[in-house]
């Protein structure tokens, strides 16, 4: 993000002035998503930049297209009757452009904006940046693996995702199965001189296609079972049920003309052990296909196992947390091992093969632990994010010798986010890189392998109260532009690509340094 001086000419008589006001928005305090009791849900998108599917899911939007529109002023340029006048206008335009460049300043979160300053995206820092409006806000989503190959770097890109809605009424909720295609590279200012042949992958309209499946109750979390041929999806409902759907035909129908998937299919299985207690902890095992963990706000964890003919949930819950289980993640390498975190401030390591499954417990933060992520490339590293905005990285090898009087120290701790951490995830292809999302409307990308040279000066920023704030050398990138960010995922088949969901829709982006 950069900030620049607001440059709005005073409207002359005859100019058009428009002001757009949204009077329906409100905030649900429990889950922090936008709802509307009065308005019919609509796609939040720029109509000139989107392709709407037949089911009204939404459209792609130009993430920064409205920066000038929001000024509310349309200025009519004066006519130029002769060459001299035209040259004069060009010169004035060039002077204005130079003034704009001179007024650009790098913006860091927490800095105060002056009355005449606005935020604009610096597109030169992105290889790709697209926004997607949604019919209803989605707290959670997951990426559907495809057959287009791994390590994809050629534009335009294609991605498939599934998301769960938070509608105003329980019966209006649904699962969205989306195909995002024609994701072109973001055009840079210095691309204007490129030949037409070199410009084929730049800034053309992306395409959104979608299917929907009805779901009763708001969806707290969505996870896709790892499998190469089928798309089995679990959805944690606010009603207390965990519904498992087979969405294979819905995904295939996005690429197969004439294939009509089942309309609003029933779940193939529902986890009922939680009663009417909702939850957020949800994860499929990447090692033992078909094993699902569900954790609720009462501190209980259940395991569901897929058999050759059906699913079956253990009758006995795993107990250990003194409060809500906020997140769960299986070990990416070991059978039966998983981590959980809770509002009781602890992270616990479990082994489902043992009679007493809880093996290790560490007080990890001073506040609620909201999220955990287990590194897929370094199996002894876990990252955690807390309600205070602090996130930490833990070396599990140090936990074995820990005692209540001598707890383990984190390998690294960072206090950058100014609000609760809502999502954290390691980058699969780089062992030292992870992304963090916060309720302060930031997504930050970090490389823990970076260190400041002893002779290098510290990079400083100005804090919200004018104090100097040191920018950690491990901080690679800050992405903004979304409100109330809830979840992010690295795309497992497109290196460096991140997809995120927030109260105002989705972003899919790839930075120049990721």
């Amino acid at each position: 993000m950069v900030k620049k001086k607001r440059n709005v000419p005073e409207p002359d008589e005859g100019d058009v002035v428009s002001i757009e006001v949204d009077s329906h928005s409100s905030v649900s305090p429990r889950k922090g998503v936008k709802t509307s009791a009065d308005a019919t849900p609509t796609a939040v998108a720029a109509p000139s930049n989107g392709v709407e599917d037949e089911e009204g899911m939404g459209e792609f939007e130009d993430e920064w297209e409205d920066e000038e529109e929001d000024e509310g002023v349309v200025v009519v340029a004066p006519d130029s009757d002769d060459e001299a006048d035209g040259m004069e206008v060009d010169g004035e335009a060039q002077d204005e452009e130079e003034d704009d460049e001179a007024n650009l300043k790098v913006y860091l979160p927490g800095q105060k904006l002056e009355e005449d300053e606005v935020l604009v995206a610096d597109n030169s820092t992105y290889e790709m940046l697209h926004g997607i409006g949604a019919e209803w806000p989605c707290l959670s989503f997951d990426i559907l693996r495809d057959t287009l190959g791994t390590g994809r770097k050629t534009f335009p890109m294609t991605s498939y995702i599934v998301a769960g809605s938070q509608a105003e009424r329980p019966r209006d909720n649904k699962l969205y199965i989306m195909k995002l295609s024609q994701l072109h590279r973001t055009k840079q200012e210095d691309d204007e001189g490129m030949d037409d042949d070199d410009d084929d992958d730049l800034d053309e309209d992306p395409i959104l296609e979608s299917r929907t499946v009805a779901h009763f109750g708001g969806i707290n979390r969505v996870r896709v079972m790892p499998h190469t041929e089928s798309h089995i999806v679990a959805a944690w409902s606010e009603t207390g049920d965990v519904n498992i759907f087979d969405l294979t035909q819905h995904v295939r129908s996005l690429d197969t003309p004439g294939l009509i998937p089942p309309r609003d299919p029933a779940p193939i299985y529902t986890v009922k052990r939680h009663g009417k207690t909702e939850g957020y902890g949800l994860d499929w095992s990447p090692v033992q296909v078909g094993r699902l963990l569900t954790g609720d706000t009462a501190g209980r964890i259940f395991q569901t196992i897929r058999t050759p003919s059906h699913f079956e949930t253990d009758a006995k819950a795993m107990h250990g947390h003194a409060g809500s289980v906020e997140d769960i993640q299986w070990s990416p390498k070991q059978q039966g091992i998983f981590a959980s975190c809770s509002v009781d401030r602890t992270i616990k390591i479990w082994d489902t093969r043992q009679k007493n499954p809880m093996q290790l417990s560490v007080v990890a933060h001073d506040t609620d632990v909201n999220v955990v992520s287990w590194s897929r490339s370094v199996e002894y590293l876990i990252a955690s994010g807390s309600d205070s905005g602090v996130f930490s990285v833990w070396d599990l090898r140090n936990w074995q010798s820990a005692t209540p009087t001598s707890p383990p120290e984190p390998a690294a701790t960072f206090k950058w986010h100014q609000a609760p951490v809502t999502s954290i995830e390691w980058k699969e292809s780089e062992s030292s890189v992870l992304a963090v999302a916060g309720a302060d409307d930031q997504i930050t990308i970090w490389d823990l392998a970076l260190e400041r040279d002893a002779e290098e000066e510290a990079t400083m920023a100005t804090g919200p109260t004018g104090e100097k704030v040191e920018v950690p050398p491990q901080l690679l990138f800050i992405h903004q532009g979304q409100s109330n960010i809830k979840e992010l995922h690295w795309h497992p088949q497109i290196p460096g690509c991140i997809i995120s969901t927030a109260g105002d829709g989705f972003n899919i982006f790839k930075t120049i340094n990721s």
Side-chain angles (χ1 to χ4, degrees):
M1 283 290 198
V2 296
K3 58 181 180 179
K4 69 176 184 179
K5 294 289 185 181
R6 186 189 300 268
N7 185 18
V8 182
E10 292 293 329
D12 297 325
E13 184 176 355
D15 288 346
V16 180
V17 180
S18 62
I19 302 176
E20 184 177 341
V21 179
D22 181 2
S23 60
H24 298 293
S25 294
S26 61
V27 176
S28 171
R30 186 172 69 83
K31 295 179 180 176
V33 296
K34 295 182 180 178
T35 60
S36 174
D38 305 318
T40 301
T42 56
V44 182
S48 62
N49 194 37
V51 177
E52 184 172 1
D53 77 302
E54 70 270 13
E55 294 176 345
M57 158 58 205
E59 299 172 331
F60 276 95
E61 56 185 350
D62 185 339
E63 191 68 17
W64 316 111
E65 184 177 50
D66 295 333
E67 291 294 344
E68 294 181 0
E69 293 175 359
D70 289 343
E71 306 296 334
V73 180
V74 179
V75 181
V76 181
D79 292 334
S80 298
D81 295 327
D82 55 51
E83 185 176 354
D85 289 340
M87 292 177 64
E88 183 178 351
V89 170
D90 290 343
E92 291 175 356
Q94 183 175 355
D95 291 342
E96 290 180 2
E97 184 175 342
E98 291 175 354
D99 289 342
D100 284 344
E101 291 180 359
N103 288 329
L104 287 177
K105 300 177 183 178
V106 176
Y107 172 81
L108 289 172
Q111 291 178 327
K112 183 180 178 180
L113 288 177
E114 302 298 334
E115 290 185 3
D116 60 345
E117 290 182 326
V118 293
L119 292 179
V120 296
D122 183 359
N123 281 345
S124 67
T125 62
Y126 292 92
E127 282 192 34
M128 176 180 69
L129 173 60
H130 297 284
I132 310 163
E135 180 185 17
W136 289 107
C138 297
L139 282 181
S140 180
F141 75 100
D142 206 359
I143 297 172
L144 296 158
R145 285 190 173 266
D146 55 53
T147 58
L148 301 178
T150 58
R152 306 199 293 262
K153 296 182 179 180
T154 304
F155 289 94
M157 302 287 191
T158 297
S159 179
Y160 301 78
I161 65 174
V162 57
S165 71
Q166 282 283 322
E168 181 68 21
R169 298 178 300 181
R171 66 176 180 268
D172 292 334
N173 284 286
K174 57 193 73 174
L175 285 167
Y176 300 114
I177 303 98
M178 292 178 274
K179 177 185 178 182
L180 322 174
S181 59
Q182 295 297 308
L183 299 172
H184 289 269
R185 185 161 58 91
T186 297
K187 189 172 184 178
Q188 314 296 342
E189 292 183 3
D190 56 2
D191 290 332
E192 295 179 357
M194 295 177 62
D195 296 334
D196 291 340
D197 293 341
D198 298 330
D199 198 47
D200 291 340
D201 65 342
L202 295 178
D203 251 16
E204 294 184 11
D205 288 341
I207 298 172
L208 168 61
E209 302 166 82
S210 72
R211 303 289 183 263
T212 61
V213 171
H215 184 281
F216 187 81
I219 300 171
N220 294 344
R221 193 150 292 178
V222 174
R223 290 294 180 264
V224 178
M225 184 179 79
H227 200 277
T228 55
E229 298 178 0
S230 62
H231 298 290
I232 307 297
V233 175
W236 232 131
S237 173
E238 64 183 0
T239 64
D241 292 339
V242 180
N243 296 307
I244 300 176
F245 295 87
D246 186 349
L247 302 181
T248 304
Q249 293 303 309
H250 293 76
V251 177
R252 288 177 180 171
S253 71
L254 294 170
D255 294 315
T256 309
L259 176 60
I260 301 176
R263 183 176 179 84
D264 295 334
I268 59 176
Y269 182 77
T270 298
V271 178
K272 293 282 190 180
R273 295 290 186 186
H274 297 277
K276 295 187 178 300
T277 304
E278 67 177 332
Y280 298 90
L282 186 67
D283 198 34
W284 293 96
S285 172
V287 179
Q288 296 171 286
V289 176
R291 290 186 179 245
L292 177 70
L293 291 170
T294 53
D296 63 27
T297 56
R300 299 172 300 174
I301 300 173
F302 285 94
Q303 179 180 215
T304 298
I305 300 175
R306 186 183 189 183
T307 68
S309 59
H310 64 285
F311 285 91
E312 185 174 334
T313 304
D314 294 344
K316 184 180 179 181
M318 288 175 272
H319 293 274
H321 284 294
S324 173
V325 177
E326 297 294 279
D327 201 7
I328 290 176
Q329 193 155 101
W330 286 98
S331 165
K333 304 291 185 182
Q334 295 179 287
Q335 292 188 2
I337 307 296
F338 70 91
S340 63
C341 65
S342 169
V343 299
D344 64 8
R345 302 180 295 139
T346 68
I347 299 173
K348 300 185 188 297
I349 306 298
W350 309 72
D351 186 345
T352 60
R353 300 165 296 183
Q354 304 299 321
K355 183 177 180 180
N356 297 314
M358 193 183 72
Q359 302 294 298
L360 296 170
S361 180
V362 167
V363 176
H365 293 273
D366 295 331
T367 57
D368 300 359
V369 188
N370 296 332
V371 286
V372 290
S373 178
W374 206 315
S375 172
R376 294 186 178 275
S377 53
V378 184
E379 60 182 294
Y380 54 81
L381 290 182
I382 282 183
S384 61
S386 73
D387 231 32
S388 65
V390 171
F391 77 91
S392 299
V393 176
W394 303 88
D395 185 336
L396 295 180
R397 296 173 299 181
N398 298 329
W399 286 26
Q400 299 291 341
S401 58
T403 65
T405 58
S406 180
E409 294 291 331
T413 295
F414 297 93
K415 179 64 172 81
W416 177 264
H417 287 270
Q418 302 304 308
V421 173
T422 57
S423 188
I424 191 167
E425 188 168 288
W426 291 95
K427 187 177 182 181
E428 191 168 349
S429 58
E430 293 186 62
S431 61
S432 62
V433 177
L434 74 165
V436 183
D440 56 356
D441 300 336
Q442 296 184 63
I443 291 176
T444 53
I445 302 176
W446 303 76
D447 187 346
L448 305 183
L450 297 179
E451 295 181 1
R452 181 176 291 116
D453 187 278
E455 298 179 357
E456 182 183 359
E457 290 187 8
T459 303
M460 306 298 289
T462 303
T465 59
E467 77 279 11
K468 292 297 182 180
V469 178
E470 183 176 348
V471 180
Q474 295 85 1
L475 180 56
L476 291 181
F477 197 90
I478 302 173
H479 172 77
Q480 292 183 280
Q482 290 180 281
S483 177
N484 207 3
I485 302 170
K486 290 300 180 183
E487 195 168 82
L488 65 81
H489 294 297
W490 294 94
H491 198 295
Q493 296 172 276
I494 305 177
C497 176
I498 291 176
I499 306 178
S500 57
T501 184
D504 53 2
F506 297 84
N507 274 184
I508 178 168
F509 63 94
K510 187 177 187 297
T511 68
I512 59 173
N513 60 352
S514 65

